Amino acid sequence: MTRPDFMMQTYIRCTDDALWHALTDADEMARYHFMTSRVTRHGDTFDARFEDGRPMLTHRILSERPKTRLEVDWAGQWEDAAPPSRVVYSIAVEGEFCRLTIEHFDLTHEVV
C-alpha cells in the first residue's frame, strides 16, 4: 500500500450522515470551505471558485462507500500545469464524534 504524501485527522462532533453530506453536497461544501462560497456539482465533478470568481479547485469522485470513504481526484486550478492528485476521506464514528482522516497522494509540489 502506498503511503500518502500528506495525512491529517480531526474529530468533529456530528453524525456520519452530516459529515458525508458536507463532503458530497456542493452547497454544504461551500458553506464549510474557508476560501470559497461557491461550489457547483456536475455529475461526479465539483468545481470550487475563489470569492472573486477565479477557479480554485476541481475534484471528481473516483469511488465512494457512503458515510465511510470517499476517493477523489483533486486538481488545484491556481497551478495550471499541476497534474491532479488523489485524496481519500475516511469517516469513522467514535461516540458522538466522527474521526475524519484525509490522505493526499501523488502531490507534485513539496509539502512543508
Side-chain angles (χ1 to χ4, degrees):
M1 181 164 223
T2 306
R3 289 180 52 178
D5 298 305
F6 174 83
M7 191 272 283
M8 180 180 88
Q9 286 185 326
T10 191
Y11 290 82
I12 304 167
R13 182 176 291 157
C14 67
T15 65
D16 53 346
D17 287 322
L19 184 50
W20 184 257
H21 190 64
L23 292 171
T24 59
D25 179 86
D27 290 334
E28 287 296 295
M29 291 170 74
R31 183 173 165 218
Y32 290 108
H33 200 286
F34 68 97
M35 292 182 68
T36 187
S37 60
R38 191 171 90 201
V39 177
T40 56
R41 182 173 184 170
H42 310 280
D44 287 343
T45 301
F46 295 82
D47 294 304
R49 297 193 170 268
F50 287 107
E51 294 290 336
D52 65 5
R54 290 177 299 123
M56 183 176 68
L57 71 90
T58 299
H59 78 253
R60 181 176 52 89
I61 296 174
L62 300 173
S63 68
E64 60 185 319
R65 280 193 318 252
K67 298 190 253 181
T68 59
R69 187 176 189 281
L70 178 67
E71 182 178 355
V72 302
D73 73 355
W74 193 93
Q77 299 300 309
W78 62 91
E79 295 180 25
D80 294 334
S85 54
R86 185 171 55 93
V87 175
V88 176
Y89 301 93
S90 301
I91 300 169
V93 176
E94 296 189 13
E96 63 183 26
F97 292 87
C98 285
R99 181 183 69 225
L100 175 62
T101 303
I102 302 168
E103 297 175 298
H104 206 141
F105 299 86
D106 307 320
L107 290 171
T108 57
H109 60 279
E110 184 178 339
V111 177
V112 291

